[in-house]
Amino acid sequence: VLPARRSSLPHGRGGCAEVLPDSFPSAPAEPLPEFLLEPEDAFIVKNRPVQLRCRASPATQIYFKCNGEWVNQNDHVTRESLDQITGLVVREVDISVSRTQVEELFGLEDYWCQCVAWSSAGTTKSNRAYVRIAYLRKNFEQEPLGREVRLEQEVLLQCRPPEGMPAAEVDWLKNEDVIDPSQDSNFLITIDHDLIIKQARLLDTANYTCVARNVVAKRRSSTATLIVYVSGGWSSWTEWSQCNAQCGRGWQRRTRSCTNPAPLNGGAFCEGPPFQRVTCTSLCPVDGGWTEWAKWSACGTECTHWRSRECQAPPPRNGGKHCSGSMMESKNCTEGLSCLLTVSVTVSPPPPALAPGMGVAVYAGLVVALVLCVILALCVGVLAYRRRRRHLHGDITDSSSALTTAFHPGNYKPPRQDNPHPLHPSAPPDLTATAGAFRGPLFSLQHGVNDSPHKIPMTTSPLLDPLPSLKIKVYNSSTLSSLELPTDMGPGDGEILSLKSVGTVGRERDFHSHTLSREPGLSTSATLGNLGGRLTIPNTGVSLLVPPGTIPQGKFYEMYLIINKWDKTTLPSEGSQTVLSPVVSCGPSGMLLNRPVVLTLPHCAQLDTPTPDWTLTLKTQTHQGAWEEVLTVGEETLSSPCYLQLEEECCHVLMEQLGTYGLVGQSCPPQPACKRLQLALFAPRAPCLSLDYSLRIYCIHDTPHALKEVMDLERSLGGVLLEDPKPLLFKDSYHNLRLSIHDIPHTHWRSKLLAKYQEIPFYHIWSGSQRPLHCTFSLERGSLAVSQLTCKICVRQVEGEGQIFQLLTDIQETLPPHSPLPSGGSCLPSSQVGPYAFRLPDSIRQKICASLDAPSARGCDWRLLARSLGFDRYLNYFATKPSPTGVLLDLWEACHQGDADLVSLATALEEMGKSEVLVVMTTDGDC
């Protein structure tokens, strides 16, 4: 208590006495105790008791309370000290907990203790500290098994450590050396303690042991011997040997050896013979033979005449000997001589000697001729050079004009070589033939031997005008960039998306541009940050889920999602493949993602057959426009960059690289695959004021995007959908689609078709490369007074399934627009940012991940959740992620877009026995 101030006035007459204040200041109130040290969780190893300690200030008393009961005061060891800075009393208390005390506890809850500290202001409780008996079972729940694998094969060695408290930590030994995946990237240890060897090498042949340890003990599994074998491969064939027969029929031989590579570690030896032998025929040598002597020549001035012969009967062949003897002979032709002189001509007579002075003249002539030749060659070279320069100048001019007038950014797909009449780039093919002139036939009018006389050629009809494009400028830089997509961009803005750098200002960047289709209703964008979000193109079934934490903290990117139009991009299908989904671009490409995003694509593959009929492949488009395979469903490996979850009508792609993607497929023998198609019947909306009337039937993919595209097209043409589209299964059987009209009231109507039916070629439908395919039935009524039209339109695949439209309409009435709602959820907004984009709150997500990420000895972890949700086709993809449960929940969010109530997830957790997570979901969520 501070002393009162006294008056300094002196005492005396007229002075006043001491003056005291009205009130004295009181001492400050003592605060509540604050724990400087709280008891921590502990494990009893064997029979050694554990010490629990807590320290609080200010505290007049501290006692432990274990399992709701106060610990005897005599069991406390108390120490008291004074804080030199604050002057408050610091009290510290220890207690000892034995194994017997823990074992005597009955109930489901673990043994726990808590500190309670008192001061004059009240009491404070510490956190609970749990005391458990540490143990480690002897037997592993699953031990690794030895095996033999081929070179470069993926290897999985499984290990489930013994049950223990605390949970055992696991190490892998290779020939008694600890495996460190950070030192050798070919090894991967999953969150379930499995060892994965990505590509088996010869040096991976070793003994592998799984070691589990905790504070109690250390256990070793049985040793698994891994043998990496190499099957033998043949070397290249040697050259054929010489024919062993010098004349006539013989043999030639070539060999190879099983050394490319040689079999190792029990690998199979090469199959097939190590040598080959073929017959050969060597031509026999033919020796030359003389012909008959020619007649004698006339008698010469020297009284001799000559005759000759040739070595041509036969001539020497195949290495045969030349004729022996002289080619010419001579004899005296004088009648007075009785002897003959035979001379063999074997040496040519020497040339006559030059007269004096003739040698100089000859050499001078040779020099003059040489100079003339050189001059002539130079003249020819100069003329050729000038002519070449003129041609070169013309080429450069043409190239320059081509660069300035004929360059269009974007992808260009050349017309098919087997189609001499390419379709208009922006028009769907009108596969109709009327009684009038045919425009652009798709196949010849000449009928083959087996062609039906009722088939008619299909024609093209320009129904669409060229549509605007969306240009993207991409800046190549090591610093990631953001995409800017103004929502109020008009035609005058050029519809340009620019990628602006968010890195160091002033750094120069090279860029290139390409064109993406920018159609109303075919694109969306949003600015997203660390909280994530969802991009959705309404009524198309296409969406992009960006989970929280995907974008680094503090970064914001303008992300976009675009459906590419068929005439603006090359198609991913090749050979017998067919396009099953729209081609979608998401970006900006090249941005670094902290976790996978989920791209949802609708598809039209029929998947409800008991046996797999499809080989499905996800493809991506490179910057050069070429398509590359990303993965084939069912053939995933650890090197696969994506995971594809397949559903009946759509697929969800987990990926960490944004770009352009599309799903293709082909039949998997022996059963032919089927595509789901839709047949949509359209007619003019306004009252018909002429005698002509037309019905259009579209054959499109059974996807929301395809139906939306046709609806928009017909809306611009003044057409209306007469009834809901009908489904049709189109089989990979090389049979065409046949359309015919029946039961027309011929008294009032007649058809203008020249044939009984129309056909759409199989390849046009199966390849998916054409714009919306349709056929038109042109009708003519007898008079303007006729208003009722009844008919039946049959559509079926030859030797396949079909559908029938029963039509009854009044063409004088204005038909209301019939707009079926696609199965994509038209009520969903185009973009959702932050927590509003996700059905599962972040707090619940974190608690589910904390509960299921850690591997459980009984298997009640994220793997069981994946099986309950149907995401267990390739668990190794999730095992390589830092939080497998988080990736599974992201995929669950994408699969339940629009109807993502928590009941399905809560049901899966209830089946797993995760009651504590269900309590959290009931309390914090909306289950």
Side-chain angles (χ1 to χ4, degrees), residues 881-911:
K881 305 304 175 186
S883 176
T885 309
V887 180
L888 289 171
L889 294 178
D890 296 338
L891 185 56
W892 176 84
E893 288 270 8
C895 292
H896 294 80
Q897 180 182 7
D899 62 345
D901 59 338
L902 301 181
V903 175
S904 61
L905 184 59
T907 303
L909 293 173
E910 184 178 8
E911 294 175 353

Side-chain angles (χ1 to χ4, degrees), residues 393-414:
H393 178 73
D395 293 341
I396 294 175
T397 303
D398 294 342
S399 300
S400 175
S401 63
L403 289 173
T404 57
T405 62
F407 174 72
H408 301 281
N411 295 326
Y412 169 72
K413 183 175 181 181

Side-chain angles (χ1 to χ4, degrees), residues 349-642:
L354 294 176
M358 290 296 293
V360 177
V362 170
Y363 288 117
L366 291 176
V367 171
V368 172
L370 181 61
V371 171
L372 291 176
C373 292
V374 171
I375 294 174
L376 182 61
L378 289 176
C379 294
V380 172
V382 170
L383 292 176
Y385 174 72
R386 290 182 177 180
R387 187 171 184 179
R388 184 178 180 184
R389 285 196 60 186
R390 287 198 299 270
H391 285 262
L392 182 60
H393 178 73
D395 293 341
I396 294 175
T397 303
D398 294 342
S399 300
S400 175
S401 63
L403 289 173
T404 57
T405 62
F407 174 72
H408 301 281
N411 295 326
Y412 169 72
K413 183 175 181 181
R416 287 173 40 85
Q417 298 299 326
D418 55 352
N419 185 1
H421 303 278
L423 299 176
H424 191 276
S426 61
D430 183 359
L431 304 176
T432 303
T434 63
F438 296 101
R439 297 173 298 171
L442 289 178
F443 58 86
S444 175
L445 289 173
Q446 296 177 358
H447 294 286
V449 177
N450 299 323
D451 290 343
S452 171
H454 305 295
K455 292 186 179 179
I456 61 174
M458 308 303 170
T459 64
T460 59
S461 175
L463 298 178
L464 288 178
D465 295 329
L467 298 172
S469 299
L470 177 65
K471 180 181 289 184
I472 301 232
K473 289 185 178 179
V474 182
Y475 293 80
N476 293 331
S477 173
S478 58
T479 306
L480 201 56
S481 56
S482 66
L483 186 84
E484 190 176 42
L485 179 58
T487 57
D488 57 346
M489 189 183 301
D493 298 329
E495 295 180 332
I496 295 178
L497 290 172
S498 61
L499 288 175
K500 300 190 300 183
S501 170
V502 296
T504 306
V505 178
R507 180 178 299 177
E508 296 183 358
R509 293 170 174 84
D510 299 328
F511 66 90
H512 65 278
S513 65
H514 61 282
T515 302
L516 293 177
S517 174
R518 170 87 167 150
E519 295 289 336
L522 295 184
S523 63
T524 184
S525 66
T527 302
L528 302 183
N530 183 258
L531 296 180
R534 189 195 304 263
L535 300 180
T536 302
I537 303 179
N539 296 336
T540 63
V542 177
S543 64
L544 178 67
L545 181 74
V546 183
T550 301
I551 300 175
Q553 188 73 32
K555 300 286 187 180
F556 292 90
Y557 298 105
E558 187 74 16
M559 303 190 69
Y560 62 87
L561 186 64
I562 300 174
I563 299 178
N564 296 346
K565 294 189 68 68
W566 296 115
D567 54 354
K568 302 294 184 181
T569 182
T570 57
L571 293 178
S573 60
E574 57 183 6
S576 60
Q577 292 179 339
T578 178
V579 181
L580 298 174
S581 75
V583 177
V584 176
S585 297
C586 53
S589 60
M591 65 179 291
L592 180 64
L593 304 178
N594 291 339
R595 60 188 302 167
V597 298
V598 188
L599 176 64
T600 300
L601 299 174
H603 68 80
C604 60
Q606 179 69 9
L607 301 176
D608 60 354
T609 54
T611 58
D613 299 335
W614 285 100
T615 299
L616 301 176
T617 303
L618 181 70
K619 291 190 175 184
T620 183
Q621 192 174 29
T622 63
H623 293 293
Q624 293 75 25
W627 285 94
E628 295 179 349
E629 291 188 7
V630 179
L631 65 86
T632 299
V633 177
E635 300 179 7
E636 295 89 343
T637 63
L638 284 176
S639 59
S640 299
C642 300

Side-chain angles (χ1 to χ4, degrees), residues 834-881:
Y836 301 102
F838 308 100
R839 186 67 182 88
L840 195 64
D842 188 61
S843 58
I844 298 179
R845 171 191 290 268
Q846 293 181 2
K847 291 178 182 178
I848 295 177
C849 293
S851 176
L852 300 181
D853 274 345
S856 171
R858 298 180 180 86
C860 188
D861 49 22
W862 65 268
R863 292 167 296 175
L864 185 56
L865 177 64
R867 283 191 287 270
S868 301
L869 298 178
F871 301 158
D872 56 339
R873 186 171 51 80
Y874 187 67
L875 291 178
N876 283 344
Y877 176 84
F878 303 97
T880 58
K881 305 304 175 186

Side-chain angles (χ1 to χ4, degrees), residues 8-20:
S8 58
L9 296 176
H11 297 279
R13 191 178 61 181
C16 58
E18 295 180 353
V19 180
L20 298 176

